[in-house]
Amino acid sequence: MTDDLQEARNDMVLKQLLHRGIRNPRVLDAMRKVPRERFLPPSQRDRAYADQALPVDCQQTISQPYIVALMTEAMELDGEQRVLEVGTGTGYQTAILAELAREVVTIERHAALSEQAARVLNELGYRNIEARVGDGTLGCPERAPFDAVMVTAAASRCPPALFEQLREGGVLVIPLGGRDVQTLEAVCKVGGAPESESLSACRFVPLIGEQGWH
Ligand code: SAH
């Protein structure tokens, strides 16, 4: 893909990702490819490759590119996985996942965000994404088990339904902590039990739902 923002994307990958230790070549390629500006409201487009989260519609945010890359890298996707994403938001992270997995089921509680994300993802040609509207803390039992699960909103504990829908040996990435600051955790299912690894401090909007904040 070549366009006038390709250089900005390459620069973002070098300075924000490679220099901070993101190494997975497939993740770096996906981050070089997906046009983040397409997922932003017009007022934010000139900041598409800035090193920060940005405000989007419905008082939500699009994650900082580094956090998107870090969360994606932790899932160790090789193109074969079926992935569940909770918190579609703009759909930017969904696109990165769709580049690296076989299939992505993504759930968003705001119908307006889900529809907008689905429209952009469709325009960009993604055909391996199923966008759903609903309470993602309950997951998607009818499509379970998933090889990997990503939650892009913050919870105080891992929603049990999501861990249950993760296959044995799979990884679930989620920001856990308080409403204001959290730690990004990669939770692996080993012998049916969780084994967690902390990746980074982070700040996400709250996960609101039956097994999240009320
Ligand atoms: N990954 C997104 C950023 C998501 S922000 C991106 O790249 O743009 C977190 C999103 O989670 C918000 O859109 C919010 O509405 C959504 N959310 C919060 N609680 C949710 C729930 N229980 N189910 C589904 N989506 C939820």
Side-chain angles (χ1 to χ4, degrees):
M1 189 195 285
T2 53
D3 59 62
D4 53 351
L5 289 172
Q6 188 60 60
E7 209 171 306
R9 269 194 291 284
N10 292 345
D11 203 50
M12 174 273 284
V13 166
L14 179 66
K15 292 185 181 142
Q16 300 174 34
L17 309 187
L18 270 163
H19 285 181
R20 290 190 189 130
I22 303 292
R23 286 289 173 266
N24 184 314
R26 297 182 73 243
V27 173
L28 296 168
D29 281 347
M31 297 291 295
R32 267 186 213 105
K33 179 175 173 192
V34 177
R36 192 166 184 256
E37 68 281 2
R38 292 286 298 273
F39 297 88
L40 293 171
S43 63
Q44 298 293 338
R45 274 184 202 150
D46 56 346
R47 294 203 263 172
Y49 297 100
D51 189 11
Q52 62 186 96
L54 294 168
V56 301
D57 297 341
C58 300
Q59 296 177 326
Q60 302 301 322
T61 53
I62 181 171
S63 303
Q64 180 190 13
Y66 171 68
I67 293 291
V68 171
L70 185 67
M71 292 177 86
T72 308
E73 189 171 59
M75 295 177 78
E76 297 178 356
L77 302 173
D78 66 9
E80 291 305 314
Q81 289 83 357
R82 277 195 344 113
V83 174
L84 173 66
E85 180 194 34
V86 176
T88 314
T90 64
Y92 175 65
Q93 171 76 74
T94 319
I96 299 287
L97 291 172
E99 289 284 340
L100 300 171
R102 181 158 54 87
E103 194 186 334
V104 183
V105 176
T106 183
I107 312 176
E108 168 58 52
R109 62 187 284 270
H110 286 291
L113 286 177
S114 176
E115 281 157 22
Q116 166 72 7
R119 200 173 54 74
V120 175
L121 291 164
N122 188 47
E123 280 169 13
L124 290 174
Y126 293 101
R127 297 291 177 265
N128 57 342
I129 296 168
E130 183 186 339
R132 295 178 162 234
V133 178
D135 178 3
T137 67
L138 304 175
C140 186
E142 62 270 39
R143 307 294 307 280
F146 294 95
D147 300 303
V149 178
M150 182 184 287
V151 184
T152 66
S156 59
R157 55 160 196 160
C158 180
L162 298 183
F163 190 70
E164 196 179 304
Q165 290 169 34
L166 181 68
R167 76 156 167 80
E168 173 64 24
V171 62
L172 183 158
V173 181
I174 182 169
L176 291 180
R179 266 186 179 255
D180 294 327
V181 281
Q182 306 92 28
T183 307
L184 206 47
E185 302 274 353
V187 185
C188 209
K189 194 179 221 173
V190 184
E195 274 185 14
S196 298
E197 184 195 343
S198 301
L199 304 177
S200 164
C202 59
R203 286 183 77 122
F204 277 80
V205 298
L207 180 72
I208 294 169
E210 211 170 302
Q211 296 186 14
W213 299 98
H214 298 293

